[in-house]
Amino acid sequence: MKTIEIKALAREHFGKKSTNSLRAEGNVPCVMYREDGNLHFYAHENAFRGLVYTPEVYLADIEVAGKNYKAVMKEIQFHPVSDRLQHIDFMQVSEDRPVTINIPLKITGESSGVKAGGKLRVKRRALKVKGLTRHIPDHLTIDITGLGIGQSIKIGDLNYDNLEIIDNKRAMIVSVEVSRLSLKEEESAAPGAEAAAEAPAAE
């Protein structure tokens, strides 16, 4: 998992007025949940662009008052109208303790079912896993090369080294459904179809 550095300032004042003042200056109020007390801080919204506006997962190295903290994002809030970044919740992590995090999925390969005219349906774009930060990858790969028409891949079918999958094992990730094209190909290949087509019409 890649790391992104963020330089922030500790919050000294709280309340709605202080929060609105920070946001008016383009800053984003944040909180980091820790065992020895939560840490409140802020940084300019530009500092979070590489962390928030990307499909990849990053480990945040946050510097506050001369101290560095390793953390992952837990929740993001956006303004309902302007869509500007409003608040971020972080969770402090350590190298010897597992973390639970959503990892994006990367579909690879060309499905045999799609080649036969089926339609690919992707149901999930990320997977919740638990593991040590050094084992968390940038993404999780799913190879669909052998996936035929009417077949699917569920979470329970997956297995990754050093990671525990937290999501429902029965949930579907990707499937190849029957399409009009594949139905036509099946009909044309059906036994007797060609003979029926060549038979003379009854008078």
Side-chain angles (χ1 to χ4, degrees), residues 1-2 4 6 28 30-33 41 47-62 69-78 85 87-93 99-103 128 133:
M1 184 165 54
K2 300 176 183 177
I4 188 169
I6 297 174
V28 180
C30 304
V31 60
M32 183 188 302
Y33 297 106
F41 61 96
F48 301 103
R49 291 192 179 278
L51 183 66
V52 175
Y53 302 102
T54 175
E56 297 183 346
V57 176
Y58 285 89
L59 180 67
D61 184 357
I62 305 173
Y69 305 88
K70 301 290 186 181
V72 293
M73 286 194 306
K74 298 298 290 184
E75 186 176 349
I76 312 173
Q77 296 178 15
F78 295 93
L85 190 58
H87 190 275
I88 304 179
D89 288 349
F90 288 91
M91 178 70 71
Q92 186 179 20
V93 298
V99 59
T100 300
I101 191 171
N102 287 321
I103 304 296
K128 183 180 290 185
T133 55

Side-chain angles (χ1 to χ4, degrees), residues 115-134:
K115 289 182 179 179
K119 191 168 185 179
L120 186 68
R121 297 286 188 185
V122 179
K123 311 289 186 179
R124 299 285 295 266
R125 298 289 182 179
L127 198 62
K128 183 180 290 185
V129 302
K130 183 178 182 180
L132 299 176
T133 55
R134 63 177 176 271

Side-chain angles (χ1 to χ4, degrees), residues 8-51:
L9 298 172
R11 289 192 65 177
E12 299 178 355
H13 305 285
F14 300 91
K16 187 174 181 179
K17 184 177 180 180
S18 174
T19 299
N20 290 338
S21 178
L22 286 175
R23 290 172 177 162
E25 296 173 354
N27 295 308
V28 180
C30 304
V31 60
M32 183 188 302
Y33 297 106
R34 306 182 303 157
E35 289 188 353
D36 53 349
N38 298 337
L39 177 64
H40 296 267
F41 61 96
Y42 67 92
H44 194 272
E45 57 186 354
N46 291 339
F48 301 103
R49 291 192 179 278
L51 183 66

Side-chain angles (χ1 to χ4, degrees), residues 151-165:
Q151 295 182 332
S152 64
I153 297 176
K154 297 181 179 180
I155 291 178
D157 299 325
L158 304 176
N159 182 44
Y160 299 98
D161 293 340
N162 302 310
L163 295 177
E164 177 187 355
I165 300 176

